[in-house]
Amino acid sequence: MRRRFKMLFLGLTAVLFLGILGGCTKQEAKQRDAWQTAQQTKTLTWGVKADTKLFGLMDVKDSQIKGFDIDIAKALTKQMLGKDARAEFVQVTSQTRIPLLKNGNLDAVIATMTITKDRQKVVDFSDSYFDAGQSLLVPKDSKIHSVKDLNHPGTKVIGVVGANSVSNVKKFAPKAQVIQLQDYAQALTALKSGQGAALTTDNGILFGMAVDNPQFKVVGKAFTKEPYGIAINQNQPALKKHLNQALEEIIANGEYNRLIKKWFGDIPGFNYREVER
């Protein structure tokens, strides 16, 4: 009995210690100066997606995440910290990106993240680095041509949990039934298997899906404006200032437009000049 009591006491002590440690870690994440740390380590840790072609997709050949967001993060890191600086990447999803940022696991998130008022209550954003708009992906023989065609009882549209595209489509097609899945890979699989009449998210993401799946097409003009921003923890004015400054500099020196053309210049139906700066 005494031994059992001792083991229980030690277990409770360990749980309490880990809880305190976790709390300290969160508190330290809020208090630390991310820009000062980045200057000391010559490193920025970025949260990026790995399931979103054109923006961030895992290359199975070399296990590297590649895309526009990754290249922009690398360019900003070197612009801010010098040519010998390192950009490190952590895979995130629409659901995990803010929690990982708030817990101090990341310095910044660049992951097709639209700047919204609700998100600005919990994180800060850089200036917009890409102006997207929400659209629809449908089979090539589909009779759906715009979001208005979804506004019928029983019409199913597929979205992703944690993405503001879900709430947007409910506003434009309130009679449609929205199926929410965990990531874009699951959403595309659901569309392929006929679980929904359309998949909705930002047009840049949808064009990436259409490149590898020519039996589908992007239809209709964008029915929302989705300015992507780089998310950082609140109360990090120095990091925000240097991010915005670096973004202005890579636009001015032509690096930004070079990356736009690299990733979007050959995408059928996508007018990359509309997002050049």
Side-chain angles (χ1 to χ4, degrees):
M1 180 67 72
R2 186 178 298 173
R3 183 180 178 186
R4 185 178 297 174
F5 177 79
K6 183 178 179 181
M7 293 297 292
L8 179 61
F9 175 77
L10 290 173
L12 289 173
T13 303
V15 170
L16 180 62
F17 174 76
L18 289 173
I20 293 171
L21 183 62
C24 290
T25 302
K26 273 190 177 183
Q27 192 64 26
E28 288 171 1
K30 292 178 181 178
Q31 292 178 348
R32 75 181 179 93
D33 187 325
W35 172 243
Q36 187 177 55
T37 302
Q39 286 181 300
Q40 293 169 351
T41 61
K42 290 285 186 179
T43 303
L44 279 172
T45 302
W46 300 81
V48 297
K49 286 187 175 177
D51 66 344
T52 310
K53 190 177 179 66
L54 302 181
F55 289 92
L57 186 68
M58 181 68 72
D59 189 334
V60 295
K61 294 179 181 178
D62 57 11
S63 298
Q64 297 293 312
I65 305 174
K66 299 174 183 178
F68 178 71
D69 282 353
I70 283 72
D71 281 356
I72 288 290
K74 290 177 179 178
L76 291 175
T77 300
K78 293 189 180 300
Q79 192 69 34
M80 295 163 69
L81 298 170
K83 293 182 179 180
D84 58 338
R86 290 181 298 119
E88 295 184 346
F89 299 103
V90 175
Q91 183 176 338
V92 301
T93 66
S94 296
Q95 301 84 48
T96 64
R97 55 193 175 188
I98 288 181
L100 286 172
L101 179 63
K102 299 294 285 183
N103 285 339
N105 302 94
L106 310 168
D107 294 311
V109 173
I110 183 166
T112 63
M113 193 170 180
T114 302
I115 301 169
T116 67
K117 290 182 179 179
D118 284 342
R119 288 171 180 164
Q120 287 175 319
K121 294 176 183 177
V122 291
V123 299
D124 277 347
F125 282 99
S126 70
D127 295 336
S128 171
Y129 71 92
F130 187 91
D131 296 326
Q134 189 170 339
S135 195
L136 305 171
L137 184 72
V138 299
K140 278 201 168 178
D141 60 355
S142 174
K143 296 181 180 180
I144 292 172
H145 303 291
S146 73
V147 68
K148 293 180 181 179
D149 296 329
L150 298 175
N151 197 32
H152 300 284
T155 301
K156 295 179 180 179
V157 57
I158 301 164
V160 173
V161 176
N164 63 309
S165 53
V166 170
S167 57
N168 286 340
V169 78
K170 288 180 179 178
K171 294 176 185 176
F172 286 88
K175 294 180 182 179
Q177 178 184 346
V178 181
I179 301 171
Q180 298 187 53
L181 298 174
Q182 291 300 310
D183 54 43
Y184 293 117
Q186 290 183 32
L188 183 58
T189 298
L191 182 66
K192 288 179 177 179
S193 62
Q195 294 180 46
L199 190 161
T200 187
T201 190
D202 302 336
N203 52 5
I205 298 172
L206 295 178
F207 277 110
M209 294 179 181
V211 168
D212 289 338
N213 300 276
Q215 70 273 35
F216 295 95
K217 62 181 179 180
V218 180
V219 297
K221 293 182 178 180
F223 54 90
T224 66
K225 293 182 179 180
E226 307 293 330
Y228 291 168
I230 299 164
I232 60 173
N233 272 316
Q234 293 175 328
N235 302 314
Q236 297 290 343
L239 180 58
K240 183 175 180 178
K241 172 187 173 183
H242 285 90
L243 274 172
N244 286 333
Q245 182 179 328
L247 182 57
E248 289 179 4
E249 290 168 350
I250 66 169
I251 290 172
N253 66 24
E255 179 67 4
Y256 178 89
N257 281 350
R258 186 187 72 80
L259 294 176
I260 284 287
K261 191 171 182 179
K262 171 185 175 181
W263 288 102
F264 303 99
D266 297 326
I267 304 303
F270 188 90
N271 187 356
Y272 76 93
R273 295 194 180 280
E274 290 183 353
V275 292
E276 281 190 324
R277 299 184 179 182

